[in-house]
Structure formats: structure tokens, C-alpha cells
Amino acid sequence: MAQQSYKNHIRFYTPHHFVFYPVMLVFIIASAWLAFSDSDNMLIWLFITSAFIAITLLSFMMRQHYALTLQDRIVLLELRYRFFATTGERLEMYENMLTEGQLFALRFAQDDQLLLLIRKAINEELSPDAIKQSIKDWKADNRRV
């Protein structure tokens, strides 16, 4: 596996991103084309097209929502543990000064850089993307959704 960094940290799920979505896109395009080329059955094909669109959107929302909600909780707990283990302080006193996005971006920082980046994120109001770009030694998160 390639070493993880800012440039390659996005993860894809092959069956979903490269099989399901392309197939659904083909179904949507084909049924929309049939809706406008088969005037006798236009309403039926429009309904089928709408159903394919709804299934695609719902599958995206449900997959992302459940997985990411659980992942967010786990990442925050891991970050709290790492912060306490490295500083002896509780992260909760900094949490209300950071957004969730900032906290989740901090997970890629090594332990020795964590406190410094937290302070920098608070003082300079860094965006999550700016936090990720500020990380000198990237800590891979290969088990995320």
C-alpha cells in the first residue's frame, strides 16, 4: 500500500463508486432517453427515470450518513485519547474552540505535532484543509470509511 499523504488520503469503495454509480448513471441516461424518444410511454419512462435517480441519491445518502456518523465518533474518541496520552490534558477544553472539520483534520497529525497544530488552528482559525496541508509528518488513517 502506498504511503498516505495529503494528496492521496481520499478513499474510494470500488463496488460503490466504480460499479453501482456508473451502472445507475447508465440506467438514468437510458431511461431519460427512452422517455423523450418513446412518446407513447413517456410518463412511464419519466417515472422509471425518477425512480433510478431517487435510488441513486438515497443509496449515497444512507451509505455516507451511517458510515461517516460512526466514523466521526470513533475519530473524536481516538483524538481525545491520543491528546491525553501525549499531553496529560483533556482535549475537551479545546474542542469548543474548534469545528468538527478541524478536529477530524487533526487526526492525520503525528502525536508530537498535535498540540502545536491545535493551538495554531485555534489562533489562526485554520480551515480543515489548511490543517492537513500544515502537517509535516502525515499519520495515515487507512482504516477509515
Side-chain angles (χ1 to χ4, degrees):
M1 183 179 293
Q3 185 174 349
Q4 193 180 82
S5 68
Y6 172 75
K7 292 182 180 183
N8 69 357
H9 76 285
I10 295 175
R11 188 168 177 185
F12 293 102
Y13 180 59
T14 302
H16 210 75
H17 290 104
F18 302 112
V19 177
F20 176 75
Y21 287 131
V23 167
M24 290 306 289
L25 184 61
V26 168
F27 286 168
I28 291 167
I29 291 169
S31 61
W33 182 79
L34 285 168
F36 293 104
S37 64
D38 183 5
S39 58
D40 294 338
N41 298 311
M42 181 184 232
L43 286 176
I44 292 170
W45 284 114
L46 284 174
F47 175 78
I48 292 170
T49 302
S50 299
F52 283 140
I53 291 170
I55 290 167
T56 303
L57 292 175
L58 285 172
S59 71
F60 176 77
M61 290 185 300
M62 296 301 283
R63 178 186 170 273
Q64 293 298 104
H65 175 72
Y66 290 142
L68 293 178
T69 299
L70 180 58
Q71 177 177 283
D72 289 350
R73 292 182 69 183
I74 292 168
V75 166
L76 185 56
L77 288 172
E78 176 192 356
L79 193 61
R80 285 176 179 166
Y81 171 76
R82 285 179 53 215
F83 186 80
F84 182 76
T86 57
T87 66
E89 299 177 34
R90 294 178 58 105
L91 180 64
E92 287 89 334
M93 62 187 194
Y94 295 104
E95 281 183 39
N96 64 347
M97 296 181 248
L98 296 163
T99 66
E100 282 187 346
Q102 289 172 311
L103 288 164
F104 300 144
L106 288 163
R107 79 178 183 265
F108 296 110
Q110 292 289 346
D111 292 344
D112 60 343
Q113 198 180 7
L114 189 57
L115 182 58
L116 177 69
L117 269 176
I118 288 172
R119 290 181 178 155
K120 185 176 178 180
I122 292 169
N123 294 335
E124 298 178 22
E125 298 180 11
L126 296 178
S127 70
D129 196 55
I131 292 170
K132 290 178 187 178
Q133 290 176 4
S134 297
I135 296 171
K136 291 178 177 57
D137 189 18
W138 192 270
K139 180 182 181 304
D141 184 5
N142 296 314
R143 294 184 177 168
R144 70 188 190 288
V145 175

